[in-house]
Amino acid sequence: MSSHRGIDLRLHELGLLAPAGYFLGLHIRFTAPLMTFQTYDQAWLDHYTNNGYVLRDPMTAWGFSTTGTIRWSDKRLPDPFGLFAEAAQYGLKYGATVSYGEISSRTIASIAHSEREFTDEEIARVASIVHELHDATEPPSELTTAQIEALKCIAGGDRHAAAAAKLGISESALKARLNSARQRLMARTTAEAIQRAKDYRLL
């Protein structure tokens, strides 16, 4: 699964498995995910963000301390700030979390249901999807010199024609370099590719 379509299909399946929404933070490095997807109700997201709950979220601490899967109702999971009770008021009454990957590039995903606990089979399938997405979005360790030059020109404000002239190549060759960089960085746009290259410290 290396295409955007493959990722979109997995995200769609994840959405079907989590009727009250999900959060997926892929390759969390330096406390921030390189890619984030979430479908929780906007009212909960606003409440969560406005109150800075990421620092109190039991699943944040659990996700960075171990890997595997766990239900939110697990008695071994401390929730000193009562975050799960608040989430339930927004329809996130039942949930489970998956943590996967090295601590230096951890992926954490949570799924929610408003009516019942997730079955073991559902949690196992979610874990499989998370593992696939983590592996499919592994950031590249380097770009080619040609890709870097092309991205730097556009990042510096050059239009295609000016960038091509500066690099001594045709405009179609420049577009080919930008396209290959987008594919390498799994970005949909050149602007997104530039940002990801910066995030990955490749530019």
Side-chain angles (χ1 to χ4, degrees):
M1 182 182 63
S2 59
S3 67
H4 288 299
R5 176 167 173 74
I7 292 173
D8 289 343
L9 287 172
R10 292 295 178 269
L11 291 174
H12 176 70
E13 185 178 358
L14 191 60
L16 294 176
L17 287 163
Y22 66 79
F23 166 84
L24 173 64
L26 288 159
H27 297 283
I28 302 171
R29 299 177 173 185
F30 311 107
T31 73
L34 295 181
M35 302 172 82
T36 303
F37 303 94
Q38 50 192 5
T39 62
Y40 290 145
D41 183 88
Q42 190 61 48
W44 167 247
L45 293 176
D46 291 342
H47 181 71
Y48 185 99
T49 301
N50 292 338
N51 288 282
Y53 281 168
V54 67
L55 300 176
R56 301 180 181 181
D57 193 332
M59 302 325 306
T60 301
W62 178 86
F64 280 109
S65 64
T66 188
T67 55
T69 63
I70 193 169
R71 287 184 176 84
W72 296 353
S73 59
D74 194 308
K75 300 301 182 186
R76 298 168 298 172
L77 191 62
D79 182 19
F81 298 102
L83 204 69
F84 290 142
E86 284 198 46
Q89 296 176 20
Y90 290 82
L92 286 68
K93 297 181 180 179
Y94 306 93
T97 295
V98 178
S99 178
Y100 179 70
E102 297 296 324
I103 189 63
S104 60
S105 190
R106 183 66 50 89
T107 288
I108 300 175
S110 287
I111 54 173
H113 207 300
S114 60
E115 298 178 1
R116 62 169 176 80
E117 291 278 15
F118 289 99
T119 66
D120 290 346
E121 291 75 17
E122 288 170 332
I123 294 174
R125 180 55 192 151
V126 169
S128 177
I129 292 171
V130 170
H131 295 182
E132 290 179 47
L133 288 170
H134 175 93
D135 293 341
T137 56
E138 183 72 38
S141 58
E142 61 181 17
L143 295 173
T144 67
T145 300
Q147 290 168 339
I148 292 172
E149 289 175 344
L151 289 175
K152 280 185 174 179
C153 284
I154 302 303
D158 290 333
R159 294 185 179 277
H160 286 176
K166 184 180 290 184
L167 296 174
I169 59 176
S170 67
E171 200 168 333
S172 60
L174 174 78
K175 290 179 180 178
R177 291 184 184 186
L178 293 173
N179 182 57
S180 66
R182 287 194 298 270
Q183 291 181 354
R184 181 78 172 131
L185 294 162
M186 301 195 70
R188 298 175 190 274
T189 66
T190 298
E192 187 178 17
I194 291 169
Q195 186 57 54
R196 288 196 180 161
K198 290 179 179 178
D199 290 342
Y200 301 164
R201 302 186 178 183
L202 301 177
L203 278 185

